[in-house]
Amino acid sequence: WENEMMVDPAHLQPGHFVARLDRPWLGTPFALEGVMVRQQRQIDWMRQHCDYVIIDFLRSENREKPAGWTGRDHSRDEWEGYLGDDKSAVNVLRRASLDEEAIRESLENHEFMHRQARDLIDKIQSTGALDSKDAREQVRGMADRLETNLAAMVWLTRIKNVDEYTAQHCVNVGVLAMGLAFALEWDRDQIELAGLAGMLHDLGKMKLDKGILSKPGRLTEEEYEHVKKHTRHGFEMVRRDPDVDPRVAQAVLEHHERPDGTGYPLGRKRPELEPMSALISVVDAYDAITSRRPYSEPRSHHEALGILWKQRDQQFDADMVETLIHFLGWVTPGTIVRLTDDRYAVVLIASQKHRLWPVVRVFELEDGKYVSGPRLDLAEHNEAHPDMPLRVRDVLPDGAIEVDLKSLLTSESS
């Protein structure tokens, strides 16, 4: 993370320079984008309102790194070196480019995965049985070209259609699961299994009451108990398929378990959980939080990361959360952002060195609609125009402005 660190506001100290909040600066008591913490009331406000903040140590008077950070199995120095390595797996999205072949293949894969998800759902609803053969083959093919196509596939997970939430969610979780497994440097077979587990993880909901699933308000205790049964329904369907690895069935069963033991259906704690189960839990939550559901509006990429970060070691495995944050980055391909000059743009390529200076496609307003405008490399712009720098001010929820992201991605290959 270069010279920055994401921390719980409880660990802030006077002299730390807070470069980012988990929310827009507009509406906060701070006048500028960035604040040198000098008073206890500033820390108290951030503790009350923020799930996390970002400290910039180059700009801090106090260079002491707070407690409250863990880093996989690496020491802090090893972890930071790994993150700074252009060739490390976790930085795959930062070195990716959206070339014509990758975009074409990704669009084809994405559409095919959607068809597979819809077919799986239709068959379960009509026969009660699961046939995962086509899904397994599709995931296997994706795994063969994952590094090349991952940026475009992650982009496509940002296109949300509320009318096809279940199929879309299964596809998105499959893609993100493969990406996170790649970032964790799992072997090829495990990456494939993670993708399949993501595709199948929520299909047990097809056996639930649709009225309860689509209920806009808070569920009653009885309704919640009914919804919780989807993990067992899914597990029973998957384990009956002799061609599906048992680890996939286990992840389907355990994707709502929690490291602190308060999850379901078995209340297992972290030492008892399979790594794949912990992985699916994190990416399932991330996609759900960033999607519009009957009972909640979509949250932004930043808000989702903050929620996951706040619940690490309680609801989610801390190593999985931290790796997902590093993998997706502060601004990930396909996210809609607002620049500091108030223009909207979509992120094309994340920056390895400057997370708030990605390559973007700016939107222009024509006849009341947003259309594709110029391509802009913020790092190049800022080096050429140091007196008029541009950066990402806000990351917006998916669908925050009306624009055809799929057509825009297609135009990048032309």
Side-chain angles (χ1 to χ4, degrees):
W1 285 63
E2 303 121 34
N3 301 299
E4 297 180 349
M5 175 187 262
M6 174 186 278
V7 299
D8 188 311
H11 299 299
L12 276 175
Q13 301 170 15
H16 284 151
F17 185 89
V18 176
R20 297 284 292 175
L21 306 176
D22 64 352
R23 64 200 61 238
W25 291 97
L26 187 66
T28 75
F30 310 113
L32 302 175
E33 291 193 13
V35 58
M36 184 71 72
V37 175
R38 300 189 188 280
Q39 299 175 339
Q40 184 61 41
R41 62 181 178 82
Q42 295 171 315
I43 297 176
D44 291 342
W45 189 94
M46 293 180 191
R47 287 176 177 174
Q48 182 179 355
H49 295 89
C50 300
D51 291 326
Y52 65 89
V53 299
I54 304 297
I55 298 173
D56 184 336
F57 288 101
L58 279 183
R59 301 162 73 183
S60 293
E61 295 173 354
N62 177 358
R63 302 294 178 88
E64 181 180 345
K65 293 190 176 182
W69 177 281
T70 59
R72 288 171 54 187
D73 295 324
H74 301 281
S75 71
R76 160 68 40 203
D77 289 342
E78 289 173 336
W79 178 245
E80 288 179 340
Y82 178 65
L83 292 175
D85 181 359
D86 290 352
K87 296 181 180 179
S88 65
V90 78
N91 287 323
V92 61
L93 295 182
R94 294 167 183 78
R95 62 175 180 267
S97 60
L98 295 173
D99 61 69
E100 181 177 356
E101 183 178 1
I103 290 172
R104 178 184 56 77
E105 285 189 6
S106 298
L107 287 166
E108 291 174 357
N109 284 333
H110 193 260
E111 181 54 36
F112 193 78
M113 288 178 74
H114 265 281
R115 289 201 301 270
Q116 292 304 317
R118 289 192 292 265
D119 289 346
L120 285 168
I121 290 169
D122 290 344
K123 186 159 188 178
I124 291 170
Q125 290 177 330
S126 62
T127 69
L130 172 70
D131 181 359
S132 65
K133 179 182 177 181
D134 290 339
R136 292 198 311 271
E137 292 178 355
Q138 181 65 18
V139 168
R140 186 175 300 119
M142 273 188 58
D144 290 335
R145 297 269 294 163
L146 187 62
E147 182 168 1
T148 302
N149 296 343
L150 193 54
M153 290 301 295
V154 169
W155 169 300
L156 291 166
T157 66
R158 314 225 68 86
I159 301 171
K160 313 288 190 181
N161 183 344
V162 69
D163 295 327
E164 291 192 346
Y165 174 74
T166 301
Q168 187 170 255
H169 179 60
C170 288
V171 171
N172 291 351
V173 173
V175 171
L176 293 170
M178 296 178 79
L180 181 53
F182 182 90
L184 288 163
E185 298 185 338
W186 286 9
D187 63 35
R188 167 67 170 67
D189 290 343
Q190 288 178 303
I191 292 173
E192 186 179 317
L193 293 178
L196 184 60
M199 283 281 289
L200 304 180
H201 82 287
D202 251 2
L203 293 181
K205 287 184 176 178
M206 297 305 99
K207 294 182 176 289
L208 301 183
D209 185 314
K210 290 182 180 179
I212 293 177
L213 285 179
S214 60
K215 181 179 177 179
R218 187 178 182 86
L219 298 180
T220 66
E221 185 174 342
E222 182 179 354
E223 289 169 336
Y224 182 51
E225 290 300 316
H226 175 73
V227 170
K228 286 162 64 174
K229 293 178 181 178
H230 79 276
T231 58
R232 288 192 181 276
H233 290 321
F235 172 71
E236 292 299 331
M237 285 191 294
V238 174
R239 75 169 183 170
R240 291 193 194 106
D241 188 332
D243 296 320
V244 176
D245 190 289
R247 286 172 290 181
V248 173
Q250 195 73 12
V252 171
L253 177 68
E254 294 180 345
H255 73 275
H256 282 292
E257 298 285 2
R258 296 182 170 190
D260 65 3
T262 61
Y264 64 86
L266 302 172
R268 290 175 174 164
K269 294 185 177 180
R270 183 182 182 186
E272 306 170 86
L273 297 176
E274 290 293 327
M276 194 172 299
S277 304
L279 182 148
I280 298 299
S281 175
V282 169
V283 294
D284 169 42
Y286 172 82
D287 186 68
I289 293 167
T290 56
S291 300
R292 177 172 279 103
R293 293 171 286 172
Y295 49 87
S296 67
E297 290 296 306
R299 312 287 284 273
S300 75
H301 169 66
H302 281 183
E303 290 178 291
L305 295 185
I307 291 168
L308 295 176
W309 170 259
K310 190 73 171 179
Q311 291 297 318
R312 69 198 189 285
D313 274 335
Q314 300 171 51
Q315 186 171 348
F316 306 109
D317 181 272
D319 292 349
M320 293 295 175
V321 170
E322 290 168 16
T323 306
L324 181 70
I325 290 171
H326 293 307
F327 162 62
L328 290 178
W330 209 230
V331 286
T332 194
T335 47
I336 302 296
V337 298
R338 181 167 31 228
L339 304 179
T340 47
D341 63 0
D342 284 331
R343 285 185 295 174
Y344 293 111
V346 62
V347 175
L348 301 180
I349 304 172
S351 171
Q352 173 71 11
K353 295 183 179 180
H354 305 286
R355 285 193 308 285
L356 300 181
W357 296 357
V359 178
V360 301
R361 176 72 65 181
V362 176
F363 295 134
E364 296 178 338
L365 200 57
E366 290 185 3
D367 299 325
K369 295 182 179 180
Y370 287 103
V371 298
S372 179
R375 181 185 175 105
L376 181 61
D377 185 325
L378 295 184
E380 289 184 0
H381 170 89
N382 291 339
E383 289 171 6
H385 305 282
D387 55 330
M388 296 185 296
L390 282 175
R391 63 193 286 273
V392 172
R393 171 178 288 164
D394 299 314
V395 176
L396 305 179
D398 297 332
I401 65 172
E402 190 172 341
V403 62
D404 189 342
L405 285 179
K406 187 173 286 189
S407 294
L408 196 152
L409 178 60
T410 305
S411 71
E412 289 300 313
S413 66
S414 59

